[in-house]
Amino acid sequence: MTELLNGVRRWTRDEMAARVAADIPDGAVVNLGIGLPTAVANHLGAGKEVVLHSENGVIGMGPAPAAGEEDYDLINAGKQPVTLLPGGCFFHHADSFAMMRGGHLDYCVLGAFQVSAGGDLANWHTGAPDAIPAVGGAMDLAIGAKKTFVMMDYLTKAGEAKLVPACTCPLTGMACVSRLYSDLALIEIMPQGPVVVELAPGLSLSALQALTPGVHLLAAHTLTEAA
């Protein structure tokens, strides 16, 4: 399958994060999950007011602190130092989960091991006997947020697609993923199936389809024509 990626320039993690940031509207309350999603905070423009929440009990975070200015008493759920914007605050863990479960988050951005064609999410355990489970607040976020975005590499290290017909890893949430941002494509999960909105430079839809066995990928223009 590697020959299908000849001449393709995969999007970098910063480019993926910038694309997610561009799709988050002004005034949104957003939780950024551990790993790739934390980079989104660095790409929210100064002219856009987005309130960032972390399940360990922080709201109103800014971009990552400059080197040498880290305060390890002020961290996110991934134990990374963060900054606090004017008006930001921290509070009890239980209050934070009440915000998540109560539908007060507009968006969450999570990593994933797998996303199914129907929008199911698996991101807390690979199912391998020696794997360490790490559910954290992912189940609460995936279902509690009004929209769930996923950031992930499109392929595993073994070259297998993480967009699958049905998740084989233990599920985090069912039919909860709205959009998938990867290094190869931006895909919207719709009732008709996964719709490819953008492709990495040099990648064709047919090549992406060949990398994604068992999942029928739709082109965005076909839905427009059908309408």
Side-chain angles (χ1 to χ4, degrees):
M1 288 291 187
T2 53
E3 65 273 10
L4 294 169
L5 295 177
N6 288 339
V8 175
R9 189 186 71 77
R10 300 185 191 218
W11 286 314
T12 66
R13 295 185 173 190
D14 271 337
E15 287 174 325
M16 291 160 59
R19 188 63 181 80
V20 175
D23 285 347
I24 294 175
D26 193 47
V29 180
V30 182
N31 181 287
L32 301 178
I34 295 170
L36 285 179
T38 58
V40 173
N42 299 328
H43 295 276
L44 295 168
K48 182 185 286 187
E49 184 178 359
V50 173
V51 181
L52 295 180
H53 168 275
S54 183
E55 62 259 38
N56 59 313
V58 188
I59 198 165
M61 295 177 292
E69 296 182 8
E70 300 92 343
D71 177 358
Y72 283 91
D73 286 328
L74 184 59
I75 59 173
N76 62 20
K79 299 182 176 62
Q80 296 172 310
V82 296
T83 58
L84 204 61
L85 299 177
C89 62
F90 40 91
F91 38 84
H92 195 281
H93 209 99
D95 294 324
S96 184
F97 272 72
M99 294 178 188
M100 293 152 59
R101 295 170 180 171
H104 302 289
L105 301 182
D106 296 306
Y107 296 85
C108 70
V109 187
L110 301 173
F113 296 128
Q114 291 178 326
V115 173
S116 80
D120 299 337
L121 170 66
N123 79 342
W124 71 279
H125 201 299
T126 62
D130 58 345
I132 300 173
V135 64
M139 291 182 180
D140 306 88
L141 288 167
I143 299 302
K146 293 170 186 172
K147 284 198 173 182
T148 297
F149 290 166
V150 163
M151 279 181 71
M152 68 181 192
D153 291 333
Y154 196 80
L155 303 174
T156 66
K157 291 180 181 179
E160 297 175 346
K162 295 183 183 180
L163 178 61
V164 295
C167 294
T168 54
C169 297
L171 288 184
T172 303
M174 298 177 66
C176 57
V177 178
S178 300
R179 278 196 163 198
L180 167 59
Y181 298 79
S182 77
D183 55 338
L184 294 180
L186 165 56
I187 296 174
E188 188 151 5
I189 306 297
M190 299 186 69
Q192 301 93 324
V195 177
V196 180
V197 178
E198 292 181 28
L199 289 162
L203 182 65
S204 66
L205 180 59
S206 60
L208 186 69
Q209 180 65 76
L211 291 168
T212 320
V215 176
H216 178 55
L217 301 175
L218 300 168
H221 70 81
T222 60
L223 296 185
T224 304
E225 291 167 359

